[in-house]
Amino acid sequence: VFQSHEEDDRKVRRREKNRVAAQRSRKKQTQKADKLHEEYESLEQENTSLKREIGKLTDEMKHLSEVLKDHEKVCPLLHCTMNFVTVPRPDALTSCLPR
């Protein structure tokens, strides 16, 4: 009878220890899931921001391409017969620049 009482106590202590360990494990798992969710949300926001920036930069590139295309039509350096010279003439270059 004394031995079965000791065994019962040991089983109760073991179950309690196991219950506490299971609670700790579930809490740790929940914290890990929460952290992953926060990281996911942060990455989603960053992705949205980067897509917005790509859109702005694409629009700017289109605008600058149009400006360049318009400028090429009137640029004296492009229409110069000496346009194969590696160093442009300073007077031709300054006439090309905005005043």
Side-chain angles (χ1 to χ4, degrees), residues 59-72:
D59 290 345
E60 183 180 4
M61 183 181 71
K62 288 176 185 175
H63 170 72
L64 292 174
S65 293
E66 287 297 318
V67 169
L68 178 61
K69 193 186 308 180
D70 290 345
H71 177 75
E72 286 174 342

Side-chain angles (χ1 to χ4, degrees), residues 44-60:
E44 281 292 321
Q45 287 177 357
E46 183 180 0
N47 191 31
T48 300
S49 175
L50 290 171
K51 284 181 179 180
R52 203 175 302 123
E53 186 176 353
I54 287 170
K56 288 178 182 178
L57 291 171
T58 301
D59 290 345
E60 183 180 4

Side-chain angles (χ1 to χ4, degrees), residues 2-14:
F2 180 72
Q3 193 171 9
S4 73
H5 182 66
E6 253 184 46
E7 285 180 23
D8 288 346
D9 283 348
R10 207 167 57 214
K11 282 182 184 179
V12 168
R13 283 193 305 272
R14 192 175 72 228

Side-chain angles (χ1 to χ4, degrees), residues 13-33:
R13 283 193 305 272
R14 192 175 72 228
R15 283 184 188 147
E16 178 63 18
K17 188 176 177 182
N18 188 48
R19 184 183 67 76
V20 170
Q23 281 179 328
R24 212 173 25 244
S25 175
R26 284 190 294 271
K27 184 176 180 181
K28 189 175 178 182
Q29 193 174 11
T30 301
Q31 288 173 338
K32 185 177 179 180

Side-chain angles (χ1 to χ4, degrees), residues 76 90-99:
D91 56 332
L93 182 60
T94 54
S95 67
C96 216
L97 298 175
R99 298 179 197 272

Side-chain angles (χ1 to χ4, degrees), residues 31-43:
Q31 288 173 338
K32 185 177 179 180
D34 289 346
K35 185 177 178 183
L36 282 173
H37 183 70
E38 287 174 14
E39 186 177 349
Y40 166 81
E41 291 293 330
S42 175
L43 289 171

